[in-house]
Amino acid sequence: MSAGMQDISGFRFTDGRPNLRRYHQARWDEPVIFELSCPGERGVLVPEVEDQVAAAAGDPLAALPPDLRRAEPPRLPELSQNRVLRHYLRLSQQNLGADLNVDIGQGTCTMKYNPKINEQLARSPRMTELHPLQDADTVQGILDVIHRMEAVVREVSGMDAVSLQPRSGSHAIYANFAILRAHQEAAGTAGERDEVITTIFSHPSDAACAKLLGYRVITLYPDAAGYPDVEALRAALSPRTAALIITNPEDTGIFNSRIREFTDLVHAAGGLCIYDQANANGLLGITRAREAGFDMCHFNLHKTFGTPHACGGPAVGAIAVTGELARHLPGPRVVADGGRFRLEAAGAESIGKVAAFMGTASIVLRAYAWVMSLGAEGLREVAEVAVLNNNYMMTELVKIRGMSLPYAQGRRRIEQARYSWKQLADETGIHSDQIGIRAADFGVHYWTSHHPFVVPEPATVEPTESYSKADLDEFVDVMRQVAKEAYENPEHVRSAPHNCPVHAIDGSYFDDPDRWAITWRAYRRKLRAHRAGEAGTK
Amino acid sequence: MSRLRVGLIVNPCAGLGGAVALKGSDGVVDEALARGATPQAATRAAHALWAMRPLAAELALITGAGTLGDDAARAAGLAADVIYEGPARSTAKDTVQLARRLNTLRVDLLLFAGGDGTARDVADGVDETLPVLGIPAGVKMHSGVFATTPQAAGLLALAFLQSTARRVAPQEVMDLDEQAVRAGHVNPMLYGYLSVPEDPRLLQGRKVPAVAGDAVVAEAIAASVIEEMEPGVVYLIGPGSTTSAVKRALGGHASLLGVDAYLDRRLLASDATAAQLEDLVAHRPARALVTCIGGQGHIFGRGNQQFSGAVVRSLGRAGIRVLATPAKLQSLRGRPFIADLQDPEAASAVAGYVEVVSGYRSRAYYRCEAV
């Protein structure tokens, strides 16, 4: 047999189109890091304190009140550096990371690409070596960036004043409700106006934060066409209305073009209007909260302004308000003063601090860098491309057997769309979440929707502006393939994932406060209680 | 590991009357067979069992002989313990008897294949805590105890048996008087409640896990309603899974299927008639607390005919609160509430947006149409 040379070009294509990826996740069977602990093992050996230093410093614990001191040291895992590194690298290989997959199946999350140069900026010592307790005169650069980013958010929203202090989207919603309450206290309506109106397709945090601040919540369900029901709003408005909080476009991607009618009705009834603009990716430079009649809004910088989602943070939820409400914003505020910047403490009517210091300054820097690399025209182009991508995908996805796009028939969506696999589920017994698990075998993320499932068998897809047509086609191909399998070999979908290390998870743990645990300590405590309970029943 | 004990009841006559236009199968089995109907229930039960095969090794199926369940089990390739021998052609009595025995055995789950009539018979035989799930095989399936398809029933049963939480929620057993339907009258009755496994897909998404099942939400609704009760106002609380949470919380000898009146959080009248209600609303400020029938949306005229046109006219829309969990509202798929009052004046009084209590200090306004 002659030593031939294979032509490997085109191996991964069929008729010029890339094949579906044959993705296979690593499996390390890695223990929890606490179980890897080896007593006495150290990652960093801290030098012994010199006698003179110890004598000068005295007992560092003496300043701590006795009841704040631990009786025993925290039971942290004891590991060397290389074992820590291996542990987390292995875990990362069992993950479908944001930079690893076509991350457009997680609609509402706005999983756009986060340019790495912005990471480098944020990780440069000029940022990381800053300390929030430094004198303002020595941190003029980051104060300038915060001041400039506030101006960007003012321009994008049309609002008069901005705070970048809240550390997440829900935190920003909470801060806006705190401002609402402060406004009501100042106006003397705090007791009488205690109802907040929202819609079922707005983010669940909108209702949850209102509740946290003691408001009663009224939820509007969609009308037959899928729009928030304006007649239901009329029925809900009363002298007890404190505010409307609403998303637009809603999670369905449907834009409510009567939004001004909504805000006018609420204002006429004496309430304020809060715009949940966490995701304004389809609106940048096109519509603004101000013109739609809102008094407050917020943006998640990790959705709309290109910063990483990380692992539930750190993040920034930027809040923007009208001039009338500016006095209630959290403090301190960055103030420009003759070419210099200084921090002005929170005033008497401010809601006070909602985060330590200035919030997450390094995220503000990333967002500012992202905005400046695009410019005003570029921001508008972001929105245009995100909407174009979504509407292209929509026309392709609805061709798939078993998939449909409920509500607002014949109308386009903005930057995302909520589809329904109801027909497929009825015909094959395969449900939307099972489609998502099978999709992971092809290396893509997928998400259904918030609860409750108002759209049956939902799937929410949001391509953002970051992905190319080839990426969009790849995602559509995965959906088409899984739907085909559901019809031809449903067991193969039902028994997925086949290429991922973690298989069926018992979801009932999520629903049971006695068994869920988000820390190792909580897990051990609940396990002990659970075992004691089991022993008790035997 | 202990085996999973699943009871199975097949009503071999279920569904016979549908295709031959008899609007049900109660008392017309011979006529249906004569008109050429073929029994479907066993096949549909087998479809459900087929979907449960991943658990076959751990499954202990308990059923009746032949057409009562054993045939369906064999068709699905599963061995079953036969604990009941019925006559060659079984009747409703056999369903009740078998249900009673399975109830005594406290099976992990009772599956039955049939329609509303079968659901009634099962409800006669079991107590309201035994988990029961209906495999749709009847002509009329107004009850909330049925899965959407036989396969969906099997998969839901599978999920329920594998789950460590095993969450159930009370669902209505509804039935029509078939003779009346054949004569052109629709008069559906709320017959009782069965504990049905909750389909987690209706309740939660992955991003934000739902802490509470529907039963917990019903308790939250009850807490909110009771907190807001005004002194001196009579509350007329109708039947329903959500409203009964209020009755339970208030205590007293309330009726599950009747309308009970409360004043200052104390039971004033149990299982009141339309005449009693008319008398109550004539003399005191009053409010009605009703629920909607899941999937269909009736707030009046289904199982609560005690709320007569006269009572509803007197209450007006402002005097009516619908208690419904978000999952129940969602099950209507955007369709409005229906007030079936057969009274044009009462209908126009209630049509429009009615107030819904959907959680603790949570409300909605939902459109209601009158028929």
Side-chain angles (χ1 to χ4, degrees):
Chain A
M1 194 176 155
S2 67
M5 188 173 177
Q6 265 191 312
D7 177 7
I8 61 162
S9 58
F11 259 34
R12 289 160 192 83
F13 292 80
T14 303
D15 299 331
R17 203 169 165 125
N19 295 341
L20 289 184
R21 251 168 252 287
R22 289 190 298 173
Y23 165 75
H24 206 296
Q25 219 164 38
R27 177 173 186 132
W28 287 98
D29 216 5
E30 187 72 3
V32 174
I33 195 163
F34 291 91
E35 295 178 294
L36 291 173
S37 179
C38 189
E41 199 170 305
R42 288 289 177 272
V44 178
L45 289 176
V46 182
E48 292 281 335
V49 179
E50 291 162 39
D51 292 342
Q52 278 176 305
V53 175
D59 179 4
L61 296 179
L64 269 184
D67 55 350
L68 283 183
R69 295 180 205 170
R70 286 176 173 278
E72 51 189 85
R75 273 176 286 187
L76 296 175
E78 299 171 77
L79 280 89
S80 64
Q81 285 189 21
N82 54 356
R83 291 183 69 215
V84 172
L85 190 62
R86 278 203 301 274
H87 175 73
Y88 286 107
L89 273 174
R90 286 168 182 165
L91 293 187
S92 77
Q93 289 185 346
Q94 300 192 152
N95 247 324
L96 207 44
D99 285 335
L100 199 65
N101 85 109
V102 178
D103 215 355
I104 61 188
Q106 300 204 75
T108 77
C109 293
T110 321
M111 301 303 291
K112 55 174 74 177
Y113 175 66
N114 309 134
K116 297 307 166 219
I117 190 166
N118 300 342
E119 281 306 302
Q120 287 174 10
L121 278 174
R123 290 177 189 193
S124 84
R126 293 168 69 192
M127 181 72 232
T128 58
E129 295 299 307
L130 296 182
H131 194 283
L133 288 178
Q134 274 176 248
D135 189 277
D137 272 340
T138 68
V139 288
Q140 286 290 301
I142 191 64
L143 294 184
D144 191 8
V145 166
I146 291 171
H147 194 256
R148 285 165 185 262
M149 190 62 202
E150 286 182 1
V152 169
V153 175
R154 279 203 303 276
E155 189 59 34
V156 167
S157 63
M159 292 296 176
D160 302 315
V162 169
S163 169
L164 301 170
Q165 204 181 80
R167 284 184 184 274
S168 74
S170 296
H171 196 187
I173 298 167
Y174 185 89
N176 273 342
F177 276 117
I179 290 170
L180 170 70
R181 193 176 59 183
H183 165 77
Q184 285 188 299
E185 279 165 4
T189 62
E192 46 199 82
R193 290 185 178 273
D194 64 346
E195 292 180 351
V196 166
I197 302 168
T198 186
T199 67
I200 192 74
F201 285 129
S202 291
H203 196 279
S205 285
D206 295 341
C209 291
K211 284 262 182 81
L212 268 175
L213 280 147
Y215 291 99
R216 291 161 195 277
V217 173
I218 299 175
T219 305
L220 308 183
Y221 282 73
D223 65 16
Y227 293 93
D229 192 334
V230 73
E231 294 309 318
L233 174 69
R234 285 181 208 276
L237 288 168
S238 78
R240 290 178 66 181
T241 303
L244 167 77
I245 182 162
I246 195 167
T247 316
N248 192 31
E250 295 194 291
D251 282 0
T252 50
I254 298 170
F255 186 80
N256 177 7
S257 52
R258 294 169 74 180
I259 192 66
R260 184 75 207 211
E261 198 180 332
F262 276 66
T263 53
D264 285 347
L265 280 170
V266 174
H267 285 146
L272 294 186
C273 297
I274 311 173
Y275 196 169
D276 178 343
Q277 284 204 286
N279 173 2
N281 212 38
L283 307 176
L284 290 169
I286 295 170
T287 70
R288 305 198 305 177
R290 189 54 170 268
E291 282 74 26
F294 286 94
D295 305 286
M296 293 181 241
C297 70
H298 85 275
F299 301 93
N300 292 5
L301 298 190
H302 51 280
K303 288 188 177 176
T304 306
F305 290 95
T307 68
H309 283 62
C311 298
V316 172
I319 54 176
V321 300
T322 58
E324 191 196 350
L325 298 172
R327 60 205 164 117
H328 304 305
L329 281 173
R333 311 275 312 279
V334 178
V335 179
D337 194 352
R340 303 284 293 171
F341 300 94
R342 60 181 173 79
L343 291 176
E344 195 172 274
E349 289 185 279
S350 161
I351 60 169
K353 269 183 182 302
V354 296
F357 307 112
M358 301 300 294
T360 319
S362 71
I363 293 289
V364 176
L365 177 66
R366 287 174 175 92
Y368 181 68
W370 186 81
V371 168
M372 294 311 287
S373 70
L374 287 161
E377 288 307 307
L379 285 186
R380 188 185 167 100
E381 197 181 341
V382 161
E384 289 169 348
V385 175
V387 174
L388 180 65
N389 277 354
N390 184 46
N391 283 276
Y392 167 71
M393 277 199 88
M394 222 168 76
T395 57
E396 293 300 305
L397 283 170
V398 294
K399 290 177 190 165
I400 296 174
R401 182 180 175 195
M403 194 182 223
S404 64
L405 185 64
Y407 300 126
Q409 297 303 320
R411 299 288 302 272
R412 297 201 183 282
R413 302 295 187 264
I414 304 296
E415 84 300 358
Q416 63 189 22
R418 181 156 295 160
Y419 302 87
S420 173
W421 288 108
K422 181 167 190 317
Q423 188 197 337
L424 181 128
D426 288 346
E427 291 173 354
T428 68
I430 295 295
H431 295 278
S432 180
D433 50 347
Q434 293 169 320
I435 289 173
I437 290 168
R438 176 64 179 141
D441 280 337
F442 298 102
V444 301
H445 265 151
Y446 173 98
W447 182 61
T448 50
S449 96
H450 301 107
H451 72 93
F453 284 179
V454 180
V455 169
E457 303 293 341
T460 314
V461 178
E462 181 185 11
T464 79
E465 74 283 7
S466 297
Y467 291 96
S468 67
K469 180 172 174 298
D471 293 333
L472 307 188
D473 288 339
E474 181 178 343
F475 186 86
V476 173
D477 285 348
V478 171
M479 291 296 110
R480 187 181 292 113
Q481 171 67 22
V482 178
K484 186 167 173 276
E485 290 175 357
Y487 279 102
E488 293 173 0
N489 186 2
E491 199 46 47
H492 196 59
V493 179
R494 200 170 288 127
S495 54
H498 303 288
N499 301 339
C500 302
V502 178
H503 287 254
I505 293 172
D506 180 359
S508 67
Y509 279 79
F510 286 131
D511 301 341
D512 184 357
D514 288 336
R515 288 184 299 151
W516 71 33
I518 53 170
T519 65
W520 183 244
R521 187 165 61 169
Y523 171 73
R524 291 196 311 182
R525 176 167 47 81
K526 291 183 181 183
L527 184 65
R528 273 198 304 276
H530 188 72
R531 282 181 174 160
E534 276 194 332
T537 57
K538 270 174 190 164
Chain B
M1 179 177 170
S2 60
R3 299 184 76 192
L4 302 165
R5 299 188 312 150
V6 174
L8 173 69
I9 300 175
V10 176
N11 171 6
C13 307
L16 279 177
V20 289
L22 286 173
K23 303 181 181 63
S25 313
D26 301 354
V28 293
V29 171
D30 288 326
E31 191 180 346
L33 290 169
R35 285 196 194 185
T38 49
Q40 297 289 327
T43 314
R44 296 178 76 85
H47 274 295
L49 294 175
W50 188 256
M52 294 171 69
R53 282 182 318 137
L55 267 185
E58 295 153 55
L59 216 55
L61 209 54
I62 308 167
T63 186
T67 55
L68 277 171
D70 195 34
D71 290 352
R74 283 167 198 272
L78 294 170
D81 250 345
V82 173
I83 58 159
Y84 182 81
E85 301 275 348
R89 183 187 286 173
S90 64
T91 66
K93 277 185 203 148
D94 298 297
T95 303
V96 179
Q97 282 298 326
L98 181 50
R100 221 166 254 161
R101 294 192 190 184
L102 292 167
N103 187 59
T104 311
L105 289 173
R106 302 313 293 174
V107 289
D108 293 290
L109 175 67
L110 195 168
L111 282 170
F112 73 91
D116 282 334
T118 322
R120 272 179 63 166
D121 296 333
V122 170
D124 277 344
V126 306
D127 66 54
E128 59 205 51
T129 62
L130 191 81
V132 175
L133 178 62
I135 301 162
V139 180
K140 300 166 285 102
M141 285 173 286
H142 298 285
S143 306
V145 302
F146 294 102
T148 50
T149 63
Q151 192 187 29
L155 293 172
L156 180 53
L158 195 65
F160 174 75
L161 292 167
Q162 285 176 322
S163 157
T164 43
R166 297 224 178 147
R167 184 170 280 152
V168 293
Q171 297 286 354
E172 298 98 349
V173 175
M174 307 281 299
D175 201 9
L176 300 166
D177 179 337
E178 288 185 6
Q179 285 189 345
V181 172
R182 287 188 198 106
H185 306 296
V186 179
N187 185 28
M189 297 291 295
L190 177 66
Y191 194 77
Y193 290 89
L194 286 171
S195 284
V196 178
E198 281 193 320
D199 186 346
R201 286 192 179 84
L202 292 178
L203 295 175
Q204 66 184 63
R206 284 269 181 269
K207 198 171 178 181
V208 186
V211 176
D214 238 22
V216 181
V217 181
E219 281 171 33
I221 290 172
S224 200
V225 164
I226 292 167
E227 179 184 279
E228 291 180 4
M229 280 185 166
E230 294 170 47
V233 175
V234 178
Y235 289 86
L236 312 173
I237 309 182
S241 51
T242 321
T243 42
S244 63
V246 181
K247 296 181 182 180
R248 270 199 308 277
L250 287 172
H253 293 282
S255 64
L256 182 65
L257 298 178
V259 179
D260 301 327
Y262 288 83
L263 177 66
D264 298 330
R265 298 174 186 173
R266 279 194 298 274
L267 189 63
L268 190 65
S270 177
D271 205 1
T273 62
Q276 284 175 299
L277 295 181
E278 281 161 24
D279 187 51
L280 280 168
V281 298
H283 292 98
R284 288 178 189 275
R287 295 217 174 83
L289 305 178
V290 297
T291 191
C292 70
I293 302 292
Q296 304 180 53
H298 290 85
I299 60 170
F300 290 113
R302 291 292 181 278
N304 62 1
Q305 283 88 343
Q306 300 94 315
F307 287 108
S308 63
V311 174
V312 171
R313 264 183 274 136
S314 168
L315 289 166
R317 197 167 64 223
I320 295 162
R321 303 270 183 287
V322 179
L323 316 188
T325 65
K328 210 161 193 182
L329 289 176
Q330 169 233 334
S331 76
L332 301 181
R333 299 269 179 261
R335 289 188 299 271
F337 289 149
I338 299 165
D340 183 359
L341 288 161
Q342 310 298 329
D343 178 330
E345 204 187 318
S348 64
V350 74
Y353 285 80
V354 296
E355 191 176 319
V356 182
V357 184
S358 55
Y360 183 68
R361 294 187 178 181
S362 293
R363 288 183 288 143
Y365 284 85
Y366 202 86
R367 197 160 57 86
C368 176
E369 280 179 5
V371 293

